[in-house]
Amino acid sequence: MSGRIILTEDLLLGQGDHKKTYIDPRDAGRCIKVPFVTPDIDLRRELHYRRTREKRNLASCLLTEYYGTVDTNLGTGYVFERITDFDGKVSLTIGDLFNMAVSDSDTIPYLEKAMIRFRDMLFQELIVTSNVEAANFVVQRFSETDFTIRIIDNIGTPVKIPLAYYFDVVARKRLKKYWKRFLDELQEDYPSVMTEAMKRRLLQGV
């Protein structure tokens, strides 16, 4: 990619602790992450993990696509797939769905279906994440009834020797611990939604 990309405030999608995310003005199906704290350890960790998976020829439906770097008026930008639904709306996070389910119990069956699909995909692909925040997991709808789950942030692990990147048995063991922690945190935050019965169902086969 060549030519400086001009990023303006009207393109801003959000801001984290280390970087801002903008809509790519050349392609609304992509976003550009620009670190304002350098070095951005989280981003460096994610790119290392992605390179490791590429070397192992591991494909993923959960991870967003990464398209490389660009020069922007705000500094180096990192271009990623932007996750939206079939109708153009920004995809909801799993956290959004739990918040909806608190006041609308009709949402719970759809939410549990999404969680089951997430569990199955996660353990199939053995994706390594650095935490289990519900805001990092997005439900992308392809139609009114068809959807998938995507991971948009905190990918990889901060450990110095990431054995889970190279050995599936280590990745699976780690993932079991993180999945249980994820369900425990959801139950603590949303006890009326993440019941013991739902939690048991989501732990099946793990």
Side-chain angles (χ1 to χ4, degrees):
M1 300 179 181
S2 60
R4 173 166 288 190
I5 308 300
I6 304 302
L7 299 176
T8 53
E9 286 302 301
D10 60 303
L11 297 171
L12 183 66
L13 289 171
Q15 176 176 333
D17 293 333
H18 304 103
K19 54 186 170 287
K20 291 183 177 182
T21 303
Y22 296 84
I23 298 172
D24 188 331
R26 305 162 304 169
D27 184 346
R30 298 184 180 189
C31 63
I32 301 176
K33 297 182 180 181
V34 182
F36 54 81
V37 174
T38 56
D40 187 330
I41 303 301
D42 292 343
L43 191 53
R44 181 179 294 179
R45 178 174 63 231
E46 176 177 343
L47 296 181
H48 176 214
Y49 180 52
R50 287 176 178 272
R51 287 193 297 269
T52 302
R53 288 185 62 87
E54 287 177 5
K55 290 178 181 178
R56 296 183 62 198
N57 294 315
L58 297 176
S60 174
C61 294
L62 283 168
L63 297 180
T64 55
E65 292 290 333
Y66 171 61
Y67 302 105
T69 60
V70 291
D71 180 31
T72 82
N73 59 310
L74 303 176
T76 300
Y78 298 80
V79 186
F80 290 87
E81 177 186 3
R82 181 185 174 211
I83 304 303
T84 56
D85 290 343
F86 70 98
D87 55 6
K89 294 180 180 178
V90 175
S91 300
L92 297 176
T93 68
I94 285 179
D96 293 330
L97 288 181
F98 268 90
N99 285 321
M100 290 170 58
V102 169
S103 57
D104 181 7
S105 60
D106 290 341
T107 307
I108 294 178
Y110 174 77
L111 170 59
E112 183 169 350
K113 183 180 178 182
M115 288 290 291
I116 290 172
R117 183 169 298 183
F118 184 34
R119 177 200 63 194
D120 293 347
M121 294 174 67
L122 199 57
F123 279 88
Q124 179 180 340
E125 297 187 4
L126 298 177
I127 300 297
V128 176
T129 61
S130 59
N131 64 42
V132 286
E133 292 182 13
N136 294 328
F137 311 129
V138 173
V139 182
Q140 184 179 26
R141 297 186 304 143
F142 300 125
S143 69
E144 291 292 349
T145 57
D146 186 28
F147 65 91
T148 191
I149 310 296
R150 309 298 298 279
I151 302 175
I152 60 173
D153 210 352
N154 288 311
I155 296 163
T157 173
V159 301
K160 291 183 178 179
I161 304 177
L163 295 178
Y165 289 12
Y166 306 97
F167 302 100
D168 288 351
V169 64
V170 178
R172 185 173 295 278
K173 181 177 180 181
R174 184 182 188 279
L175 191 53
K176 286 182 179 180
K177 179 179 70 174
Y178 271 63
W179 180 251
K180 185 178 184 304
R181 183 187 301 173
F182 182 41
L183 299 184
D184 287 343
E185 291 184 5
L186 288 171
Q187 186 174 46
E188 182 177 347
D189 293 338
Y190 307 99
S192 63
V193 180
M194 179 57 75
T195 62
E196 280 295 331
M198 181 188 288
K199 186 176 175 181
R200 283 195 301 271
R201 290 192 292 271
L202 291 170
L203 285 171
Q204 289 177 2
V206 170

